[in-house]
Amino acid sequence: MNIDNPIFAERYPASDAGNGTGLTVGVKDCIDIAGRRTTCGSRAFAQAAPAAADAAVVKALVNGGCRILGKTTMHELAYGMTGINGWTGTVENPRYPGLIAGGSSSGSAAAVAAGLVDIALGSDTGGSIRLPAACCGVIGLKPTFGRVSREGVHPQNSSQDCVGVFASSLDLVDQAMALIDPAYVVSPAPAAVRVGIVAVAAEPEITEAVDAALEAAGSHGDRVPLYRMEDAFQAGVVLMAAEAYASYGHLIETGLLGADVEARLRAAPDVASAERVAWAEGVRRAFSAAVDRALEEYDVLAMPTLPAFPPELANLGDPAAVLRLSALVRPFNLSGHPAISLPLQAPSGRPCAMQLVARHGDDARLCGAARALSDPLARSEAIPMPTRNPE
């Protein structure tokens, strides 16, 4: 592990990056690359056999001429939201030093924010792309559940996890999605977007930043409630706990896990009792239907990505408060709708973001709507994007 530069768990020599001349890519270390170990950010897999084949998404990018620069660091077992990792080293936030980079796809978000790669692959089970994107001031897309292949992605079985993309621009998001999903056809920005602004609890300064961004884009959306949003957050936590325990519970007694992940896995059977799982599946059905109904009237639903500002690494506070950072993103893992996080900056200079959600399968239209509702000039002035470091 590279403790000195923990953005990359493993950085590949130029000779190993492939012969493509297209986009440069970082790949989250829960996604297989042929001949490389997939450690999922955990000492428990430090001696795992190298992957026999590329994950489907990696193969698609290589076939599209991309150059894979390395595996990016992640929160251990993709089961945490801070990016803190005692084995690999903790990823630092390139744009907002001292604040968490977010998790679990911390290295992928940071690699894009630092200009080390054009795009990066992440995975999102409970906000693990959108949350670090918001923390690091980049764009993060969680596609519709099941749209992008999870072949060669760990854990193998998940009812909420999606492979998605980090980038510094919507054009790069479109390019990446067109490579990893042959059915993705780039959608231009529409002349008008019907926006439903979801009524959620968030810090006033964050809500004001989202409202200002929509107003700057000429959008005057309606305030809309979303039925069982809080239940959907809790249900997502329950189902993730059940599935994480099924995949990694056998590691609890090995002594190879970080303290935070071990504690969450030990608690998982209580969090995800049979009764709670049945309840969560009922919430999934009810909440998914509620989102579908709202999207009959609107093209996209808009809200803050995070309800609070990213905390300082040195002052994380109560773990329950950290978990609630995913209160506005996790529900859409439960429902499976595509969602994108667009970076903003609050008047206080702290990072925040706007999340847009669209109908199942409308990933390209979601990105088109995001283009129509973003203000790239204002955003680039507020959050300077470094140029990619030369090789």
Side-chain angles (χ1 to χ4, degrees):
M1 295 294 101
N2 187 352
I3 301 297
D4 294 330
N5 181 23
I7 287 177
F8 281 99
E10 187 178 23
R11 186 76 181 261
Y12 303 156
S15 58
D16 292 347
N19 296 320
T21 58
L23 301 176
T24 55
V25 185
V27 177
K28 186 178 181 180
D29 192 22
C30 61
I31 301 173
D32 285 347
I33 295 178
R36 304 285 181 173
R37 288 189 177 93
T38 304
T39 74
C40 297
S42 178
R43 190 188 307 274
F45 296 116
Q47 302 305 317
D54 287 335
V57 286
V58 173
K59 183 177 181 180
L61 291 174
V62 171
N63 288 345
C66 296
R67 299 178 59 224
I68 309 299
L69 297 191
K71 285 283 192 81
T72 56
T73 302
M74 56 184 281
H75 201 113
E76 185 175 17
L77 303 183
Y79 205 21
M81 296 183 300
T82 63
I84 292 175
N85 189 315
W87 180 55
T88 62
T90 295
V91 173
E92 297 181 5
N93 190 325
R95 294 194 183 176
Y96 299 96
L99 302 185
I100 64 168
S104 62
S105 306
S106 47
S108 289
V112 170
L116 300 175
V117 294
D118 295 318
I119 63 168
L121 294 180
S123 63
D124 191 317
T125 313
S128 287
I129 288 174
R130 290 158 291 157
L131 191 152
C135 292
C136 292
V138 299
I139 300 171
L141 172 67
K142 179 199 81 70
T144 300
F145 178 78
R147 175 162 192 154
V148 175
S149 174
R150 294 189 69 257
E151 178 187 345
V153 180
H154 304 267
Q156 295 180 348
N157 299 313
S158 174
S159 67
Q160 300 185 89
D161 190 43
C162 304
V163 176
V165 178
F166 294 91
S168 60
S169 72
L170 288 163
D171 287 343
L172 286 170
V173 170
D174 277 334
Q175 288 181 52
M177 283 298 295
L179 288 171
I180 64 177
D181 174 14
Y184 187 93
V185 178
V186 175
S187 178
V193 182
R194 297 175 302 164
V195 180
I197 304 174
V198 179
V200 298
E203 292 194 23
E205 192 179 1
I206 295 175
T207 299
E208 291 165 10
V210 171
D211 289 346
L214 290 171
E215 185 176 350
S219 174
H220 304 282
D222 301 325
R223 298 283 174 180
V224 298
L226 203 50
Y227 177 64
R228 300 194 77 174
M229 183 87 165
E230 174 62 22
D231 281 350
F233 162 64
Q234 298 291 349
V237 171
V238 169
L239 293 177
M240 187 175 184
E243 293 170 357
Y245 187 81
S247 295
Y248 300 123
H250 65 284
L251 299 174
I252 290 173
E253 303 300 338
T254 64
L256 297 173
L257 298 177
D260 64 324
V261 172
E262 181 180 322
R264 290 190 74 184
L265 285 173
R266 286 188 184 278
D270 292 328
V271 172
S273 64
E275 293 79 9
R276 292 283 288 167
V277 168
W279 171 82
E281 290 292 2
V283 173
R284 190 204 296 268
R285 292 187 292 271
F287 180 70
S288 298
V291 179
D292 288 340
R293 285 193 299 271
L295 287 168
E296 290 175 0
E297 185 172 354
Y298 301 103
D299 298 316
V300 294
L301 303 178
M303 70 206 80
T305 303
L306 307 183
F309 291 107
E312 297 177 353
L313 271 170
N315 187 28
L316 288 177
D318 181 6
V322 175
L323 184 63
R324 285 212 64 85
L325 283 176
S326 66
L328 307 182
V329 287
R330 192 180 297 270
F332 303 105
N333 292 95
L334 187 76
S335 70
H337 291 81
I340 192 167
S341 180
L342 303 173
L344 302 171
Q345 186 164 256
S348 62
R350 291 176 289 178
C352 59
M354 176 170 64
Q355 179 179 217
L356 302 177
V357 179
R359 301 177 189 93
H360 286 112
D362 270 4
D363 304 57
R365 291 189 186 94
L366 172 63
C367 289
R371 186 173 280 106
L373 294 173
S374 10
D375 184 351
L377 177 60
R379 194 164 63 247
S380 66
E381 289 175 347
I383 311 174
M385 169 59 67
T387 56
R388 182 165 60 84
N389 290 353
E391 307 258 340

